[in-house]
Every structure is written in structure tokens, then in C-alpha cells.
Amino acid sequence: MVNSAMNRASISEVTSLKKACVKKYGDRYFFPKTIPKNREHKAIIAYIAILLLIISGHFVFSTDPYSIPSLYASLIIFYLLVMVLHRWILFLFELEHSVSRYNGDNWKIFKAAFYFNYKIIVLALFCLVYLIYYLTKYGFPSLNDNCWILVIPSLFIIHILFDTEECPLSESLAIAKDNGLNYGAGMAYSFFYGYINYMLNEKMGDPNKHLKEMMQDYESKNNIRFEVYKIFLLIPKSLKCFESIQDGSKIMEMRSTLLEKKITVAGVRERVYKHSVYSIHDTSMTYKPIYVCAEYATPIKTFMEVYKHTTAHTDYYHRQKNEILFQFYFTLRRILERNGMDAMCELVFYEDMDDKKQYHDTGRILLEKLNEIKKKER
């Protein structure tokens, strides 16, 4: 009771909290002033108004108003051609990632680079039709307009209104900027601070032991020896997580678990955390079983569920699966290194299927990783 009182926050004496919660009346939601709500894209209306104002002023003050439509159409087409050139450059450099990100299908890269939304297509067709009409009737326009510079801010607004950079490849490159706002990075931070940090930090939970101590206790109790004092977190590229790791291997067998850790988290009393222990039997290397502590990175299983169900963002997740997966691995690796926990936790990011769509033996994947660790330690 004393500890509970000491841990309590400073509680306000205010009893009327009608304006503290988000409320729903009918189909409408009402948000307190301090809680974020949906953004309404009212700026688009302002941009449209500014664009109409610029074009109207252009007609009024131009010395050659009859040439203005052909001027805008010509420059819009020129701008779109520059955009196509930009996409072509992106396409050529993305070919480097053909196998790792697109399974060798260059057509997927082409579609990802040269996707244009319907607004751009309609705008391009309208400008092309008008230019063809103008050229066949009047010939090449003589652009003697003293206000031609007004087209520059107009093109900038058109760029915003028509989302000219929108394409799957641009989405991938935005994720690759590693600003920490993507789904993969979010999964990594949640996984570390919501699970790994609890498991590997000896200052949390009961018993007050870190991973190595719990593995040593297991060794003493079961008369075995772990190959390394690390937990292996598996990140399969296909997102497939078997119920037990041994289900994806012919040479692995689940033994039991390390000592349980009980931690009170977010109001849940004595939540139980525990690691699974497996033995690997590879007679080509040794007749003795090799013992490891391993499990799948649980956010991968969650991502698989999100990936295969229909949601408002299904198309996005299907397009960006590999980028999200890489950012999860890359971000989690850096978090572990920054917190000095990479010595206790080994990430295994691997291709889990061969060319015949059969799963690689997970036990052999772990053996490869163990060989890599031993080479580093020599």
C-alpha cells in the first residue's frame, strides 16, 4: 500500500470532465480543444482561388491575351515531360533493387515509376487536344506576352493540386528517407520499448535477472550448454511465422522455456514474458544438439495479419511490404546498438523461401547465423 501511494500521480481535484473526452453524437465526433482531430484540406480551396486569381490577372494585364491558353498548355506539357524524365531516371536506378524488392519483375518497377493519377492524365489530354487544335488552326503561337512570368507560380500550384509526384516508387523513396514516421519504424520502436526492453533489462520484473543469467540458470537445471548467450529474433521476408519455429525445420526441436518474467505493464498485473529454447540436430556438424534461444519478431506476425486483410490501406501495404519490412529491421537494429543490447539480441533477417516457393529450413538459417557470430568472435 505504501509503494502504491508513492507511485500515484498528482490527481486533479476537478470533478466535471465533460470536455476531456472525444464524444460522438449521431454521426459526428466532437473533440476537446487539446486533442488532435482530422485535418480538413481547406488549403486546397485557397490554392484554387489563388490560381484563378493569377490566371484572371494574367488575362487582364497581358499584352497578348489570345496566346495565354496556348502558353499554359505548352508549359504544362513541357513540365509533364520533365516529370516523365524524372520518373525515367528513378526507374533506371531502381533496377538495382529488382531482385531484392520486386522478385526480378522489372514490369513492377516500371508501373511503380510511371504511375500517374487520373487528374494528371485528364490535364495532359486536355492540354494536348487544345495544342493540336491550336497548331492545326493557327500554327505555332507567337508568345509576345509581357506577363509570362505568372505561369511559374501557376505551375507550382498545379504541381500541388494535381499531386504530380504521386506514384508507388515515390512512396518507397519517402519511406527510405528514414524519418521514423513510417509503419516499419513504428513497429520497431513499439517492439523494443514494449517487449525487448522488458525482457533484456534486468531492472524490470520478477525475477530481477537479465537474459544471460536466465540462460545460465536453464543450463544448470537441464545440464545443457547454449551455443551463445543471445536470443535470436527471426524476421522472415515472406512474413510467414509458424506457430512453433520447429514447424519450419527438419532439424529443430522445441525444448521448453527460460524462467518466466512477470512485469506489471499498463495496468495489466504481472504480465508473463518468456523465451523459447530449441535444440538443433545437425549430424553433419556434430552429434551433440546445439541449443539456442529463438523466436519470431512478433510484429512480423501482426504485419502479416494486416497485410492479408482488407483495410483502408491494403493497397499501400501490398505495394510497400518490402520497404516496411526493411525499415523495421534497420530501425530495430539501430535501437539495439544504441542501447547496447545488440550483444544479447541477434536479428535474423532472411529470405525464407527458395525459387520453388518452398521454405528454407529455419534450423539451417540459425546455423548460418551462428557460424557468422563465431567468425566475428575469433
Side-chain angles (χ1 to χ4, degrees), residues 251-285:
I251 61 173
M252 289 187 71
E253 182 181 355
M254 184 176 179
R255 293 297 183 174
S256 54
T257 63
L258 297 184
L259 193 65
E260 294 181 350
K261 255 195 176 186
K262 295 180 180 180
I263 307 172
T264 298
V265 181
V268 180
R269 296 290 302 174
E270 297 186 341
R271 178 176 286 176
V272 175
Y273 296 81
K274 54 187 176 181
H275 296 307
S276 298
V277 176
Y278 292 88
S279 61
I280 304 175
H281 304 265
D282 184 15
T283 54
S284 64
M285 293 180 61

PDB file of all heavy atoms in Angstrom, residues 251-285:
ATOM      1  N   ILE A 251      15.309 -30.074 -38.550  1.00  0.00           N
ATOM      2  CA  ILE A 251      16.405 -30.388 -37.620  1.00  0.00           C
ATOM      3  C   ILE A 251      16.263 -29.664 -36.278  1.00  0.00           C
ATOM      4  O   ILE A 251      17.170 -29.698 -35.456  1.00  0.00           O
ATOM      5  CB  ILE A 251      17.773 -30.049 -38.248  1.00  0.00           C
ATOM      6  CG1 ILE A 251      17.865 -28.551 -38.585  1.00  0.00           C
ATOM      7  CG2 ILE A 251      18.030 -30.888 -39.488  1.00  0.00           C
ATOM      8  CD1 ILE A 251      19.249 -28.115 -39.062  1.00  0.00           C
ATOM      9  N   MET A 252      15.124 -29.002 -36.061  1.00  0.00           N
ATOM     10  CA  MET A 252      14.915 -28.285 -34.799  1.00  0.00           C
ATOM     11  C   MET A 252      13.855 -28.968 -33.951  1.00  0.00           C
ATOM     12  O   MET A 252      12.917 -29.583 -34.468  1.00  0.00           O
ATOM     13  CB  MET A 252      14.489 -26.833 -35.064  1.00  0.00           C
ATOM     14  CG  MET A 252      15.568 -25.949 -35.613  1.00  0.00           C
ATOM     15  SD  MET A 252      15.029 -24.213 -35.713  1.00  0.00           S
ATOM     16  CE  MET A 252      14.997 -23.766 -33.970  1.00  0.00           C
ATOM     17  N   GLU A 253      14.022 -28.821 -32.649  1.00  0.00           N
ATOM     18  CA  GLU A 253      13.043 -29.370 -31.712  1.00  0.00           C
ATOM     19  C   GLU A 253      12.883 -28.401 -30.545  1.00  0.00           C
ATOM     20  O   GLU A 253      13.877 -27.940 -29.971  1.00  0.00           O
ATOM     21  CB  GLU A 253      13.506 -30.731 -31.200  1.00  0.00           C
ATOM     22  CG  GLU A 253      12.511 -31.388 -30.246  1.00  0.00           C
ATOM     23  CD  GLU A 253      13.005 -32.727 -29.734  1.00  0.00           C
ATOM     24  OE1 GLU A 253      14.068 -33.202 -30.192  1.00  0.00           O
ATOM     25  OE2 GLU A 253      12.337 -33.290 -28.846  1.00  0.00           O
ATOM     26  N   MET A 254      11.635 -28.094 -30.225  1.00  0.00           N
ATOM     27  CA  MET A 254      11.393 -27.204 -29.095  1.00  0.00           C
ATOM     28  C   MET A 254      11.585 -27.965 -27.790  1.00  0.00           C
ATOM     29  O   MET A 254      11.119 -29.091 -27.638  1.00  0.00           O
ATOM     30  CB  MET A 254       9.980 -26.630 -29.156  1.00  0.00           C
ATOM     31  CG  MET A 254       9.701 -25.621 -28.059  1.00  0.00           C
ATOM     32  SD  MET A 254       8.087 -24.851 -28.183  1.00  0.00           S
ATOM     33  CE  MET A 254       8.144 -23.797 -26.733  1.00  0.00           C
ATOM     34  N   ARG A 255      12.294 -27.348 -26.843  1.00  0.00           N
ATOM     35  CA  ARG A 255      12.548 -27.969 -25.552  1.00  0.00           C
ATOM     36  C   ARG A 255      11.580 -27.455 -24.492  1.00  0.00           C
ATOM     37  O   ARG A 255      10.676 -28.142 -24.066  1.00  0.00           O
ATOM     38  CB  ARG A 255      13.995 -27.709 -25.131  1.00  0.00           C
ATOM     39  CG  ARG A 255      15.020 -28.404 -26.016  1.00  0.00           C
ATOM     40  CD  ARG A 255      14.883 -29.912 -25.937  1.00  0.00           C
ATOM     41  NE  ARG A 255      15.880 -30.603 -26.722  1.00  0.00           N
ATOM     42  CZ  ARG A 255      16.044 -31.917 -26.738  1.00  0.00           C
ATOM     43  NH1 ARG A 255      15.260 -32.683 -26.009  1.00  0.00           N
ATOM     44  NH2 ARG A 255      16.975 -32.477 -27.483  1.00  0.00           N
ATOM     45  N   SER A 256      11.781 -26.239 -24.066  1.00  0.00           N
ATOM     46  CA  SER A 256      10.902 -25.626 -23.062  1.00  0.00           C
ATOM     47  C   SER A 256      11.139 -24.127 -23.126  1.00  0.00           C
ATOM     48  O   SER A 256      11.483 -23.597 -24.185  1.00  0.00           O
ATOM     49  CB  SER A 256      11.174 -26.203 -21.669  1.00  0.00           C
ATOM     50  OG  SER A 256      12.544 -26.079 -21.338  1.00  0.00           O
ATOM     51  N   THR A 257      10.994 -23.452 -22.008  1.00  0.00           N
ATOM     52  CA  THR A 257      11.212 -22.007 -21.986  1.00  0.00           C
ATOM     53  C   THR A 257      12.141 -21.630 -20.850  1.00  0.00           C
ATOM     54  O   THR A 257      12.315 -22.379 -19.882  1.00  0.00           O
ATOM     55  CB  THR A 257       9.887 -21.244 -21.818  1.00  0.00           C
ATOM     56  OG1 THR A 257       9.303 -21.585 -20.562  1.00  0.00           O
ATOM     57  CG2 THR A 257       8.919 -21.574 -22.942  1.00  0.00           C
ATOM     58  N   LEU A 258      12.725 -20.459 -20.983  1.00  0.00           N
ATOM     59  CA  LEU A 258      13.519 -19.922 -19.884  1.00  0.00           C
ATOM     60  C   LEU A 258      12.595 -19.556 -18.730  1.00  0.00           C
ATOM     61  O   LEU A 258      11.365 -19.600 -18.850  1.00  0.00           O
ATOM     62  CB  LEU A 258      14.289 -18.684 -20.341  1.00  0.00           C
ATOM     63  CG  LEU A 258      15.320 -18.843 -21.445  1.00  0.00           C
ATOM     64  CD1 LEU A 258      16.023 -17.513 -21.680  1.00  0.00           C
ATOM     65  CD2 LEU A 258      16.333 -19.929 -21.122  1.00  0.00           C
ATOM     66  N   LEU A 259      13.185 -19.146 -17.647  1.00  0.00           N
ATOM     67  CA  LEU A 259      12.436 -18.703 -16.482  1.00  0.00           C
ATOM     68  C   LEU A 259      11.495 -17.562 -16.861  1.00  0.00           C
ATOM     69  O   LEU A 259      11.867 -16.661 -17.615  1.00  0.00           O
ATOM     70  CB  LEU A 259      13.411 -18.234 -15.397  1.00  0.00           C
ATOM     71  CG  LEU A 259      12.850 -18.014 -13.989  1.00  0.00           C
ATOM     72  CD1 LEU A 259      12.382 -19.331 -13.403  1.00  0.00           C
ATOM     73  CD2 LEU A 259      13.930 -17.393 -13.099  1.00  0.00           C
ATOM     74  N   GLU A 260      10.286 -17.629 -16.388  1.00  0.00           N
ATOM     75  CA  GLU A 260       9.311 -16.584 -16.704  1.00  0.00           C
ATOM     76  C   GLU A 260       9.676 -15.267 -16.024  1.00  0.00           C
ATOM     77  O   GLU A 260      10.213 -15.262 -14.915  1.00  0.00           O
ATOM     78  CB  GLU A 260       7.912 -17.001 -16.255  1.00  0.00           C
ATOM     79  CG  GLU A 260       7.341 -18.185 -17.001  1.00  0.00           C
ATOM     80  CD  GLU A 260       5.937 -18.517 -16.518  1.00  0.00           C
ATOM     81  OE1 GLU A 260       5.515 -17.945 -15.478  1.00  0.00           O
ATOM     82  OE2 GLU A 260       5.264 -19.348 -17.153  1.00  0.00           O
ATOM     83  N   LYS A 261       9.361 -14.178 -16.716  1.00  0.00           N
ATOM     84  CA  LYS A 261       9.461 -12.861 -16.114  1.00  0.00           C
ATOM     85  C   LYS A 261       8.051 -12.312 -15.960  1.00  0.00           C
ATOM     86  O   LYS A 261       7.251 -12.369 -16.890  1.00  0.00           O
ATOM     87  CB  LYS A 261      10.282 -11.920 -17.003  1.00  0.00           C
ATOM     88  CG  LYS A 261      11.682 -11.632 -16.496  1.00  0.00           C
ATOM     89  CD  LYS A 261      12.293 -10.441 -17.204  1.00  0.00           C
ATOM     90  CE  LYS A 261      13.662 -10.112 -16.625  1.00  0.00           C
ATOM     91  NZ  LYS A 261      14.221  -8.874 -17.196  1.00  0.00           N
ATOM     92  N   LYS A 262       7.757 -11.766 -14.808  1.00  0.00           N
ATOM     93  CA  LYS A 262       6.446 -11.164 -14.562  1.00  0.00           C
ATOM     94  C   LYS A 262       6.629  -9.667 -14.349  1.00  0.00           C
ATOM     95  O   LYS A 262       7.352  -9.249 -13.450  1.00  0.00           O
ATOM     96  CB  LYS A 262       5.781 -11.806 -13.354  1.00  0.00           C
ATOM     97  CG  LYS A 262       5.439 -13.276 -13.551  1.00  0.00           C
ATOM     98  CD  LYS A 262       4.770 -13.877 -12.330  1.00  0.00           C
ATOM     99  CE  LYS A 262       4.446 -15.346 -12.546  1.00  0.00           C
ATOM    100  NZ  LYS A 262       3.794 -15.955 -11.353  1.00  0.00           N
ATOM    101  N   ILE A 263       5.954  -8.906 -15.210  1.00  0.00           N
ATOM    102  CA  ILE A 263       6.093  -7.447 -15.163  1.00  0.00           C
ATOM    103  C   ILE A 263       4.701  -6.824 -15.240  1.00  0.00           C
ATOM    104  O   ILE A 263       3.878  -7.226 -16.055  1.00  0.00           O
ATOM    105  CB  ILE A 263       6.950  -6.922 -16.341  1.00  0.00           C
ATOM    106  CG1 ILE A 263       8.296  -7.672 -16.397  1.00  0.00           C
ATOM    107  CG2 ILE A 263       7.186  -5.434 -16.235  1.00  0.00           C
ATOM    108  CD1 ILE A 263       9.105  -7.359 -17.636  1.00  0.00           C
ATOM    109  N   THR A 264       4.456  -5.860 -14.381  1.00  0.00           N
ATOM    110  CA  THR A 264       3.197  -5.119 -14.449  1.00  0.00           C
ATOM    111  C   THR A 264       3.352  -3.991 -15.463  1.00  0.00           C
ATOM    112  O   THR A 264       4.199  -3.118 -15.308  1.00  0.00           O
ATOM    113  CB  THR A 264       2.827  -4.545 -13.072  1.00  0.00           C
ATOM    114  OG1 THR A 264       2.633  -5.639 -12.152  1.00  0.00           O
ATOM    115  CG2 THR A 264       1.553  -3.714 -13.156  1.00  0.00           C
ATOM    116  N   VAL A 265       2.530  -4.046 -16.512  1.00  0.00           N
ATOM    117  CA  VAL A 265       2.652  -3.099 -17.614  1.00  0.00           C
ATOM    118  C   VAL A 265       1.281  -2.529 -17.962  1.00  0.00           C
ATOM    119  O   VAL A 265       0.322  -3.284 -18.178  1.00  0.00           O
ATOM    120  CB  VAL A 265       3.253  -3.774 -18.872  1.00  0.00           C
ATOM    121  CG1 VAL A 265       3.393  -2.765 -19.995  1.00  0.00           C
ATOM    122  CG2 VAL A 265       4.596  -4.394 -18.557  1.00  0.00           C
ATOM    123  N   ALA A 266       1.205  -1.202 -18.016  1.00  0.00           N
ATOM    124  CA  ALA A 266      -0.002  -0.503 -18.498  1.00  0.00           C
ATOM    125  C   ALA A 266      -1.277  -0.994 -17.825  1.00  0.00           C
ATOM    126  O   ALA A 266      -2.312  -1.187 -18.468  1.00  0.00           O
ATOM    127  CB  ALA A 266      -0.116  -0.657 -20.022  1.00  0.00           C
ATOM    128  N   GLY A 267      -1.197  -1.212 -16.531  1.00  0.00           N
ATOM    129  CA  GLY A 267      -2.391  -1.605 -15.785  1.00  0.00           C
ATOM    130  C   GLY A 267      -2.650  -3.101 -15.763  1.00  0.00           C
ATOM    131  O   GLY A 267      -3.568  -3.558 -15.084  1.00  0.00           O
ATOM    132  N   VAL A 268      -1.883  -3.885 -16.523  1.00  0.00           N
ATOM    133  CA  VAL A 268      -2.026  -5.340 -16.521  1.00  0.00           C
ATOM    134  C   VAL A 268      -1.084  -5.911 -15.471  1.00  0.00           C
ATOM    135  O   VAL A 268       0.128  -5.755 -15.565  1.00  0.00           O
ATOM    136  CB  VAL A 268      -1.692  -5.937 -17.908  1.00  0.00           C
ATOM    137  CG1 VAL A 268      -1.842  -7.463 -17.867  1.00  0.00           C
ATOM    138  CG2 VAL A 268      -2.603  -5.340 -18.972  1.00  0.00           C
ATOM    139  N   ARG A 269      -1.635  -6.573 -14.478  1.00  0.00           N
ATOM    140  CA  ARG A 269      -0.851  -7.082 -13.362  1.00  0.00           C
ATOM    141  C   ARG A 269      -0.071  -8.327 -13.765  1.00  0.00           C
ATOM    142  O   ARG A 269      -0.609  -9.272 -14.348  1.00  0.00           O
ATOM    143  CB  ARG A 269      -1.763  -7.428 -12.174  1.00  0.00           C
ATOM    144  CG  ARG A 269      -2.493  -6.242 -11.571  1.00  0.00           C
ATOM    145  CD  ARG A 269      -1.561  -5.319 -10.842  1.00  0.00           C
ATOM    146  NE  ARG A 269      -0.824  -6.003  -9.778  1.00  0.00           N
ATOM    147  CZ  ARG A 269       0.140  -5.434  -9.076  1.00  0.00           C
ATOM    148  NH1 ARG A 269       0.516  -4.186  -9.331  1.00  0.00           N
ATOM    149  NH2 ARG A 269       0.743  -6.109  -8.122  1.00  0.00           N
ATOM    150  N   GLU A 270       1.230  -8.314 -13.492  1.00  0.00           N
ATOM    151  CA  GLU A 270       2.107  -9.472 -13.639  1.00  0.00           C
ATOM    152  C   GLU A 270       1.952 -10.149 -15.010  1.00  0.00           C
ATOM    153  O   GLU A 270       1.685 -11.348 -15.114  1.00  0.00           O
ATOM    154  CB  GLU A 270       1.860 -10.474 -12.516  1.00  0.00           C
ATOM    155  CG  GLU A 270       2.200  -9.908 -11.137  1.00  0.00           C
ATOM    156  CD  GLU A 270       2.086 -10.947 -10.035  1.00  0.00           C
ATOM    157  OE1 GLU A 270       1.413 -11.977 -10.251  1.00  0.00           O
ATOM    158  OE2 GLU A 270       2.676 -10.733  -8.960  1.00  0.00           O
ATOM    159  N   ARG A 271       2.099  -9.355 -16.038  1.00  0.00           N
ATOM    160  CA  ARG A 271       2.102  -9.923 -17.392  1.00  0.00           C
ATOM    161  C   ARG A 271       3.314 -10.834 -17.526  1.00  0.00           C
ATOM    162  O   ARG A 271       4.421 -10.493 -17.129  1.00  0.00           O
ATOM    163  CB  ARG A 271       2.156  -8.809 -18.431  1.00  0.00           C
ATOM    164  CG  ARG A 271       2.209  -9.300 -19.862  1.00  0.00           C
ATOM    165  CD  ARG A 271       2.160  -8.138 -20.829  1.00  0.00           C
ATOM    166  NE  ARG A 271       0.828  -7.566 -20.903  1.00  0.00           N
ATOM    167  CZ  ARG A 271       0.524  -6.484 -21.631  1.00  0.00           C
ATOM    168  NH1 ARG A 271       1.471  -5.858 -22.295  1.00  0.00           N
ATOM    169  NH2 ARG A 271      -0.704  -6.032 -21.662  1.00  0.00           N
ATOM    170  N   VAL A 272       3.110 -12.018 -18.142  1.00  0.00           N
ATOM    171  CA  VAL A 272       4.168 -13.032 -18.214  1.00  0.00           C
ATOM    172  C   VAL A 272       4.916 -12.920 -19.542  1.00  0.00           C
ATOM    173  O   VAL A 272       4.317 -12.856 -20.614  1.00  0.00           O
ATOM    174  CB  VAL A 272       3.578 -14.451 -18.068  1.00  0.00           C
ATOM    175  CG1 VAL A 272       4.667 -15.507 -18.263  1.00  0.00           C
ATOM    176  CG2 VAL A 272       2.918 -14.603 -16.706  1.00  0.00           C
ATOM    177  N   TYR A 273       6.245 -12.889 -19.451  1.00  0.00           N
ATOM    178  CA  TYR A 273       7.130 -12.892 -20.618  1.00  0.00           C
ATOM    179  C   TYR A 273       8.066 -14.092 -20.500  1.00  0.00           C
ATOM    180  O   TYR A 273       8.607 -14.360 -19.420  1.00  0.00           O
ATOM    181  CB  TYR A 273       7.967 -11.611 -20.683  1.00  0.00           C
ATOM    182  CG  TYR A 273       7.171 -10.339 -20.886  1.00  0.00           C
ATOM    183  CD1 TYR A 273       6.535  -9.722 -19.812  1.00  0.00           C
ATOM    184  CD2 TYR A 273       7.064  -9.768 -22.140  1.00  0.00           C
ATOM    185  CE1 TYR A 273       5.811  -8.556 -19.988  1.00  0.00           C
ATOM    186  CE2 TYR A 273       6.344  -8.591 -22.338  1.00  0.00           C
ATOM    187  CZ  TYR A 273       5.724  -7.994 -21.256  1.00  0.00           C
ATOM    188  OH  TYR A 273       5.008  -6.840 -21.437  1.00  0.00           O
ATOM    189  N   LYS A 274       8.286 -14.799 -21.590  1.00  0.00           N
ATOM    190  CA  LYS A 274       9.225 -15.928 -21.548  1.00  0.00           C
ATOM    191  C   LYS A 274       9.745 -16.247 -22.951  1.00  0.00           C
ATOM    192  O   LYS A 274       9.092 -15.981 -23.957  1.00  0.00           O
ATOM    193  CB  LYS A 274       8.561 -17.161 -20.937  1.00  0.00           C
ATOM    194  CG  LYS A 274       7.243 -17.581 -21.593  1.00  0.00           C
ATOM    195  CD  LYS A 274       6.592 -18.700 -20.803  1.00  0.00           C
ATOM    196  CE  LYS A 274       5.236 -19.070 -21.394  1.00  0.00           C
ATOM    197  NZ  LYS A 274       4.580 -20.146 -20.627  1.00  0.00           N
ATOM    198  N   HIS A 275      10.971 -16.807 -23.001  1.00  0.00           N
ATOM    199  CA  HIS A 275      11.629 -17.145 -24.252  1.00  0.00           C
ATOM    200  C   HIS A 275      11.639 -18.651 -24.451  1.00  0.00           C
ATOM    201  O   HIS A 275      11.816 -19.418 -23.501  1.00  0.00           O
ATOM    202  CB  HIS A 275      13.078 -16.638 -24.249  1.00  0.00           C
ATOM    203  CG  HIS A 275      13.188 -15.142 -24.185  1.00  0.00           C
ATOM    204  ND1 HIS A 275      12.543 -14.312 -25.062  1.00  0.00           N
ATOM    205  CD2 HIS A 275      13.880 -14.337 -23.348  1.00  0.00           C
ATOM    206  CE1 HIS A 275      12.845 -13.055 -24.774  1.00  0.00           C
ATOM    207  NE2 HIS A 275      13.645 -13.042 -23.732  1.00  0.00           N
ATOM    208  N   SER A 276      11.522 -19.067 -25.705  1.00  0.00           N
ATOM    209  CA  SER A 276      11.533 -20.494 -26.035  1.00  0.00           C
ATOM    210  C   SER A 276      12.956 -20.976 -26.298  1.00  0.00           C
ATOM    211  O   SER A 276      13.773 -20.247 -26.869  1.00  0.00           O
ATOM    212  CB  SER A 276      10.680 -20.766 -27.276  1.00  0.00           C
ATOM    213  OG  SER A 276       9.332 -20.409 -27.035  1.00  0.00           O
ATOM    214  N   VAL A 277      13.219 -22.204 -25.897  1.00  0.00           N
ATOM    215  CA  VAL A 277      14.518 -22.842 -26.111  1.00  0.00           C
ATOM    216  C   VAL A 277      14.342 -23.964 -27.126  1.00  0.00           C
ATOM    217  O   VAL A 277      13.415 -24.781 -27.019  1.00  0.00           O
ATOM    218  CB  VAL A 277      15.089 -23.406 -24.792  1.00  0.00           C
ATOM    219  CG1 VAL A 277      16.404 -24.146 -25.055  1.00  0.00           C
ATOM    220  CG2 VAL A 277      15.287 -22.287 -23.783  1.00  0.00           C
ATOM    221  N   TYR A 278      15.245 -24.003 -28.103  1.00  0.00           N
ATOM    222  CA  TYR A 278      15.216 -25.039 -29.138  1.00  0.00           C
ATOM    223  C   TYR A 278      16.561 -25.738 -29.215  1.00  0.00           C
ATOM    224  O   TYR A 278      17.612 -25.149 -28.909  1.00  0.00           O
ATOM    225  CB  TYR A 278      14.919 -24.427 -30.513  1.00  0.00           C
ATOM    226  CG  TYR A 278      13.521 -23.878 -30.655  1.00  0.00           C
ATOM    227  CD1 TYR A 278      13.225 -22.573 -30.290  1.00  0.00           C
ATOM    228  CD2 TYR A 278      12.488 -24.673 -31.169  1.00  0.00           C
ATOM    229  CE1 TYR A 278      11.944 -22.062 -30.426  1.00  0.00           C
ATOM    230  CE2 TYR A 278      11.204 -24.177 -31.311  1.00  0.00           C
ATOM    231  CZ  TYR A 278      10.940 -22.866 -30.927  1.00  0.00           C
ATOM    232  OH  TYR A 278       9.669 -22.371 -31.071  1.00  0.00           O
ATOM    233  N   SER A 279      16.515 -26.980 -29.658  1.00  0.00           N
ATOM    234  CA  SER A 279      17.751 -27.712 -29.966  1.00  0.00           C
ATOM    235  C   SER A 279      17.809 -27.945 -31.470  1.00  0.00           C
ATOM    236  O   SER A 279      16.773 -28.154 -32.122  1.00  0.00           O
ATOM    237  CB  SER A 279      17.802 -29.048 -29.224  1.00  0.00           C
ATOM    238  OG  SER A 279      16.718 -29.872 -29.599  1.00  0.00           O
ATOM    239  N   ILE A 280      19.013 -27.863 -32.029  1.00  0.00           N
ATOM    240  CA  ILE A 280      19.229 -28.097 -33.453  1.00  0.00           C
ATOM    241  C   ILE A 280      20.101 -29.328 -33.593  1.00  0.00           C
ATOM    242  O   ILE A 280      21.197 -29.400 -33.013  1.00  0.00           O
ATOM    243  CB  ILE A 280      19.915 -26.884 -34.116  1.00  0.00           C
ATOM    244  CG1 ILE A 280      19.087 -25.611 -33.887  1.00  0.00           C
ATOM    245  CG2 ILE A 280      20.094 -27.127 -35.609  1.00  0.00           C
ATOM    246  CD1 ILE A 280      19.756 -24.348 -34.409  1.00  0.00           C
ATOM    247  N   HIS A 281      19.626 -30.316 -34.358  1.00  0.00           N
ATOM    248  CA  HIS A 281      20.354 -31.570 -34.539  1.00  0.00           C
ATOM    249  C   HIS A 281      20.889 -31.619 -35.967  1.00  0.00           C
ATOM    250  O   HIS A 281      20.154 -31.915 -36.906  1.00  0.00           O
ATOM    251  CB  HIS A 281      19.434 -32.775 -34.287  1.00  0.00           C
ATOM    252  CG  HIS A 281      18.792 -32.755 -32.935  1.00  0.00           C
ATOM    253  ND1 HIS A 281      19.318 -33.434 -31.858  1.00  0.00           N
ATOM    254  CD2 HIS A 281      17.674 -32.133 -32.484  1.00  0.00           C
ATOM    255  CE1 HIS A 281      18.540 -33.231 -30.791  1.00  0.00           C
ATOM    256  NE2 HIS A 281      17.540 -32.460 -31.144  1.00  0.00           N
ATOM    257  N   ASP A 282      22.140 -31.334 -36.129  1.00  0.00           N
ATOM    258  CA  ASP A 282      22.777 -31.382 -37.443  1.00  0.00           C
ATOM    259  C   ASP A 282      23.958 -32.334 -37.377  1.00  0.00           C
ATOM    260  O   ASP A 282      25.055 -31.983 -36.934  1.00  0.00           O
ATOM    261  CB  ASP A 282      23.230 -29.988 -37.878  1.00  0.00           C
ATOM    262  CG  ASP A 282      23.804 -29.979 -39.289  1.00  0.00           C
ATOM    263  OD1 ASP A 282      23.582 -30.972 -40.015  1.00  0.00           O
ATOM    264  OD2 ASP A 282      24.481 -29.004 -39.649  1.00  0.00           O
ATOM    265  N   THR A 283      23.727 -33.579 -37.798  1.00  0.00           N
ATOM    266  CA  THR A 283      24.760 -34.612 -37.672  1.00  0.00           C
ATOM    267  C   THR A 283      25.952 -34.349 -38.580  1.00  0.00           C
ATOM    268  O   THR A 283      27.033 -34.929 -38.368  1.00  0.00           O
ATOM    269  CB  THR A 283      24.173 -35.991 -38.005  1.00  0.00           C
ATOM    270  OG1 THR A 283      23.560 -35.939 -39.305  1.00  0.00           O
ATOM    271  CG2 THR A 283      23.122 -36.389 -36.979  1.00  0.00           C
ATOM    272  N   SER A 284      25.792 -33.501 -39.599  1.00  0.00           N
ATOM    273  CA  SER A 284      26.925 -33.197 -40.475  1.00  0.00           C
ATOM    274  C   SER A 284      27.959 -32.330 -39.762  1.00  0.00           C
ATOM    275  O   SER A 284      29.112 -32.252 -40.179  1.00  0.00           O
ATOM    276  CB  SER A 284      26.446 -32.492 -41.735  1.00  0.00           C
ATOM    277  OG  SER A 284      25.881 -31.226 -41.419  1.00  0.00           O
ATOM    278  N   MET A 285      27.541 -31.659 -38.683  1.00  0.00           N
ATOM    279  CA  MET A 285      28.450 -30.773 -37.944  1.00  0.00           C
ATOM    280  C   MET A 285      28.892 -31.395 -36.630  1.00  0.00           C
ATOM    281  O   MET A 285      30.063 -31.386 -36.268  1.00  0.00           O
ATOM    282  CB  MET A 285      27.778 -29.416 -37.675  1.00  0.00           C
ATOM    283  CG  MET A 285      27.519 -28.588 -38.920  1.00  0.00           C
ATOM    284  SD  MET A 285      26.720 -27.023 -38.513  1.00  0.00           S
ATOM    285  CE  MET A 285      27.933 -26.260 -37.448  1.00  0.00           C
TER     286      MET A 285
END
